[in-house]
Amino acid sequence: MKKIKIQVPATVANLVCGFDILGMAIHEPYDEMELKLLDSPEIIIRHTDHFGLPEEPSKNVAGVVLLNIQQHLKLTTGFEVIIHKHIKPGSGLGSSAASAAGAALGANILLGNILSDEEMVHFAMYGEELASGVRHADNIAPCIYGGITLVKSSSPIDIIPLNTPDLFVTAVHPQVEVKTSDARQILKKNILLKDAVEQWGNIAGLVAGILKNDIPLMGRSLNDVLIEPVRSILIPQFNEIKTKSLQAGALGGGISGSGPSIFMLAEKKETAESIARLMKSAYNEIDIESFVYVSKINPSGIKIIKEDE
Amino acid sequence: MKKIKIQVPATVANLVCGFDILGMAIHEPYDEMELKLLDSPEIIIRHTDHFGLPEEPSKNVAGVVLLNIQQHLKLTTGFEVIIHKHIKPGSGLGSSAASAAGAALGANILLGNILSDEEMVHFAMYGEELASGVRHADNIAPCIYGGITLVKSSSPIDIIPLNTPDLFVTAVHPQVEVKTSDARQILKKNILLKDAVEQWGNIAGLVAGILKNDIPLMGRSLNDVLIEPVRSILIPQFNEIKTKSLQAGALGGGISGSGPSIFMLAEKKETAESIARLMKSAYNEIDIESFVYVSKINPSGIKIIKEDE
């Protein structure tokens, strides 16, 4: 009976200015998933974590992805999945995307690599739809492709893998709740053309910086004039952490996805670690528990740890 | 007495989706400018063309650039400039930018290359300000840097030279007047966030396509959901020309700058030439005179033809 074990990384969507189009895989935190092909057509999901996520396949992010794969490919086989989740749901670090992308990529390996990358993204988006009501790929894409990805369009799926700058990422997850739906509703539906022009100047600069490996250009481009000023209100200590991180030498950073996690990029490990300390103490000051992660940008996304025939 | 002769190319601003930030130098049409350093501090401008542009330095695009250089550098010398203009004013092909950038780059050579590229752009923008009331650099930058340029910001000046894809450009200038100020006023000041997201997905895709030399990606990204639907109304035969050009094999294209010129990109010379023919006949049909130019993207911008000590 074929089975595999995979490591599925957290991801940072938006990358400051690239709202809804850019995403980046990191190394820490990550989920582990064990997937097994079953002779019978049933789908079994088990969580070893204590986040209380539903295990009924049609209500589980990984389950719904597998149900769709099974149905679309008219499989007579099923899947058993054990999820060891370490990326906390609601953190803004791509927890649902990890389960969704892990299910799609894991199933594809068990089935003998019959799906293209775009097809894996297509199926994984059913998981995002279940989790947030929106078929979006900005966290799924970096899970599957690795590095930094551009979702030029999610319908039709058009994903451009960019590059993996040699940078450290510090991410902090304060234990406050920001619902993705609230973070989306708070945004203005109408924006000024002149602000949009400034935003796409930064987006173009960021994409050019990533592809030319021009670190200072990346830094100059990490500015969000549209989303961050609105959403950061929902995140305690955001301004303090951002200001102090830049003073400590961060290249730039902002809200991870729709928050509440905050991420910062840095060239040196020592800088990333000093940012981790200042993040931690900013939340200690106001008695909010937080989890801090330091790792590099992850060039390969989901990693196969073990594969048995 | 030191003098030089330079060839200053036409430029295509916006490049469909990159409103106010992208620009591209082409080979045809181009202006010729002869610049001479004078012992006395006067500035003399002469036009050999018949466009009726003012020759008084403070009212002339090249003149105002030279006045600012002279004043800022506290020069005791002056300049004589003879302009042979072939890029028609009001064409949307960067006619004023050519005079402005030619004056700045030409003066810099005569002065012994004392200005940086950014400083040349800075001074040239005085010419654009005179011509259109706005200090913008999207046509000036490709004149000075060549190829395709990104104006990430014009204040402070932050210009990123991108690349020169190996493509042909067909541009048509129909003899109708579209004032830059009208083309700007017709735009909505407020736009939908969701349209902006689609636009910056295309911008990011176009920049990535240019830098990765991915021609199909460039083609898929040449879509403007915000500006073209509004401005194209001012340009007769726009939809017919765009549709037929795509049918003839164009990679994509749209309004050049604020119009009325239209440009199309193509991989093969024969395609570019067949597009030229269909553009010409679209305007013949409705008895509007037009000028059509076929050339490649110009990698080097302004070219020095002759330099005398």
Side-chain angles (χ1 to χ4, degrees):
Chain A
M1 186 56 57
K2 200 172 175 185
K3 61 180 190 175
I4 56 162
K5 188 172 182 179
I6 57 177
Q7 214 176 67
V8 191
T11 46
V12 172
N14 297 350
L15 280 183
V16 188
C17 51
F19 178 67
D20 270 3
I21 63 166
L22 294 177
M24 163 178 84
I26 58 182
H27 285 286
E28 304 272 353
Y30 60 83
D31 290 352
E32 286 178 311
M33 292 173 77
E34 299 175 67
L35 292 99
K36 196 161 76 175
L37 209 55
L38 303 178
D39 286 333
S40 58
E42 54 187 338
I43 290 182
I44 302 164
I45 309 283
R46 281 204 296 132
H47 272 273
T48 61
D49 52 74
H50 303 286
F51 298 121
L53 297 167
E55 294 186 336
E56 192 186 323
S58 66
K59 291 177 180 169
N60 179 282
V61 167
V64 85
V65 173
L66 297 172
L67 281 169
N68 273 284
I69 290 176
Q70 191 184 46
Q71 193 179 357
H72 182 84
L73 300 179
K74 298 181 176 63
L75 301 178
T76 54
T77 51
F79 300 93
E80 184 187 316
V81 186
I82 305 169
I83 304 174
H84 312 280
K85 184 163 281 299
H86 307 292
I87 311 167
K88 292 179 207 306
S91 58
L93 290 169
S95 181
S96 57
S99 294
L105 190 135
N108 184 44
I109 295 167
L110 293 177
L111 296 171
N113 291 305
I114 56 172
L115 301 175
S116 67
D117 289 348
E118 286 80 9
E119 286 169 321
M120 285 191 270
V121 170
H122 166 79
F123 287 115
M125 281 200 291
Y126 286 103
E128 288 291 50
E129 192 176 9
L130 180 73
S132 71
V134 183
R135 282 183 70 80
H136 69 102
D138 37 349
N139 290 97
I140 289 168
C143 257
I144 289 177
Y145 293 79
I148 298 178
T149 52
L150 161 65
V151 179
K152 193 180 109 46
S153 154
S154 57
S155 172
I157 294 168
D158 192 354
I159 288 160
I160 322 299
L162 295 178
N163 219 334
T164 308
D166 188 22
L167 294 172
F168 287 88
V169 186
T170 313
V172 61
H173 175 207
Q175 300 302 288
V176 294
E177 197 186 355
V178 174
K179 282 192 182 155
T180 306
S181 52
D182 289 350
R184 208 159 260 279
Q185 268 177 345
I186 200 181
L187 298 177
K188 292 170 191 142
K189 288 199 173 46
N190 282 287
I191 60 173
L192 290 174
L193 176 60
K194 77 172 184 50
D195 289 343
V197 170
E198 188 173 344
Q199 191 87 351
W200 63 57
N202 283 323
I203 291 170
L206 182 56
V207 170
I210 293 165
L211 286 173
K212 290 163 85 102
N213 202 30
D214 181 335
I215 305 283
L217 173 57
M218 286 186 63
R220 294 200 304 280
S221 304
L222 287 167
N223 284 308
D224 175 1
V225 298
L226 287 169
I227 313 298
E228 183 180 292
V230 180
R231 280 194 172 165
S232 61
I233 297 164
L234 301 174
I235 304 171
Q237 300 292 70
F238 180 85
N239 290 333
E240 164 153 352
I241 286 173
K242 181 155 184 180
T243 305
K244 286 194 176 164
S245 296
L246 293 173
Q247 282 164 357
L251 196 64
I255 304 168
S256 178
S258 54
S261 290
I262 301 170
F263 81 102
M264 288 287 152
L265 294 171
E267 285 187 80
K268 289 181 186 161
K269 197 178 180 185
E270 306 84 73
T271 313
E273 284 169 345
S274 75
I275 291 167
R277 286 190 296 274
L278 73 85
M279 285 172 165
K280 191 82 196 163
S281 71
Y283 285 114
N284 282 346
E285 269 175 34
I286 56 165
D287 286 325
I288 288 179
E289 197 189 2
S290 65
F291 297 91
V292 184
Y293 309 93
V294 177
S295 68
K296 301 198 79 168
I297 302 177
N298 179 339
S300 39
I302 297 169
K303 200 164 83 180
I304 302 164
I305 311 175
K306 217 169 124 196
E307 201 167 355
D308 302 320
E309 278 306 321
Chain B
M1 185 55 54
K2 203 174 171 183
K3 60 181 191 176
I4 56 162
K5 188 171 180 181
I6 57 178
Q7 214 175 67
V8 191
T11 46
V12 172
N14 297 350
L15 279 184
V16 187
C17 51
F19 178 67
D20 270 2
I21 63 166
L22 294 177
M24 164 178 82
I26 58 182
H27 285 286
E28 304 271 352
Y30 60 83
D31 290 352
E32 286 179 310
M33 293 174 76
E34 298 175 68
L35 292 98
K36 196 161 78 175
L37 210 54
L38 301 179
D39 287 330
S40 59
E42 55 190 338
I43 291 184
I44 303 164
I45 309 284
R46 281 204 296 131
H47 272 273
T48 61
D49 50 75
H50 303 287
F51 298 120
L53 296 166
E55 293 186 336
E56 192 186 322
S58 67
K59 292 179 180 169
N60 179 283
V61 166
V64 84
V65 173
L66 297 172
L67 281 169
N68 272 283
I69 290 176
Q70 191 183 47
Q71 191 179 357
H72 181 83
L73 300 179
K74 298 181 175 63
L75 301 179
T76 52
T77 50
F79 300 93
E80 184 188 317
V81 187
I82 305 169
I83 304 174
H84 313 280
K85 185 163 279 298
H86 306 293
I87 311 167
K88 292 179 208 307
S91 58
L93 290 169
S95 181
S96 56
S99 294
L105 190 136
N108 184 45
I109 295 167
L110 293 178
L111 296 171
N113 289 305
I114 57 171
L115 301 174
S116 68
D117 288 348
E118 286 79 8
E119 286 170 321
M120 284 190 270
V121 171
H122 165 79
F123 287 115
M125 280 200 293
Y126 287 103
E128 288 293 51
E129 192 176 9
L130 180 74
S132 71
V134 183
R135 282 182 70 79
H136 68 101
D138 38 347
N139 290 96
I140 289 168
C143 256
I144 289 178
Y145 293 78
I148 297 178
T149 52
L150 161 64
V151 179
K152 192 180 110 48
S153 154
S154 57
S155 172
I157 294 168
D158 193 353
I159 288 160
I160 322 299
L162 296 177
N163 219 333
T164 308
D166 187 22
L167 293 173
F168 288 87
V169 187
T170 313
V172 61
H173 175 207
Q175 300 303 290
V176 294
E177 197 185 357
V178 173
K179 280 191 184 159
T180 305
S181 54
D182 288 350
R184 209 159 259 278
Q185 269 179 343
I186 200 181
L187 298 178
K188 292 171 191 139
K189 288 198 173 46
N190 282 287
I191 60 171
L192 290 173
L193 176 60
K194 76 170 185 53
D195 289 343
V197 170
E198 189 174 341
Q199 191 88 352
W200 63 56
N202 284 322
I203 291 170
L206 183 56
V207 170
I210 293 166
L211 286 173
K212 290 163 83 101
N213 201 30
D214 181 335
I215 305 283
L217 173 56
M218 286 186 64
R220 295 200 303 281
S221 304
L222 287 168
N223 284 307
D224 174 1
V225 297
L226 287 169
I227 313 298
E228 182 179 293
V230 181
R231 279 193 174 166
S232 61
I233 297 164
L234 301 174
I235 304 170
Q237 300 293 67
F238 179 85
N239 290 332
E240 165 154 351
I241 285 173
K242 182 157 184 181
T243 305
K244 287 195 175 166
S245 296
L246 294 172
Q247 283 165 354
L251 196 64
I255 304 168
S256 178
S258 55
S261 289
I262 301 170
F263 81 102
M264 289 287 152
L265 294 170
E267 287 187 79
K268 290 183 185 158
K269 197 177 180 187
E270 306 84 74
T271 313
E273 285 169 347
S274 75
I275 292 167
R277 286 190 296 273
L278 72 85
M279 285 170 164
K280 191 81 195 163
S281 72
Y283 286 114
N284 282 345
E285 268 176 35
I286 56 165
D287 287 325
I288 289 179
E289 197 189 2
S290 65
F291 296 91
V292 184
Y293 309 93
V294 177
S295 69
K296 301 198 81 170
I297 302 177
N298 179 339
S300 40
I302 297 170
K303 200 165 84 182
I304 302 165
I305 310 174
K306 216 169 127 196
E307 200 168 353
D308 302 321
E309 279 304 323

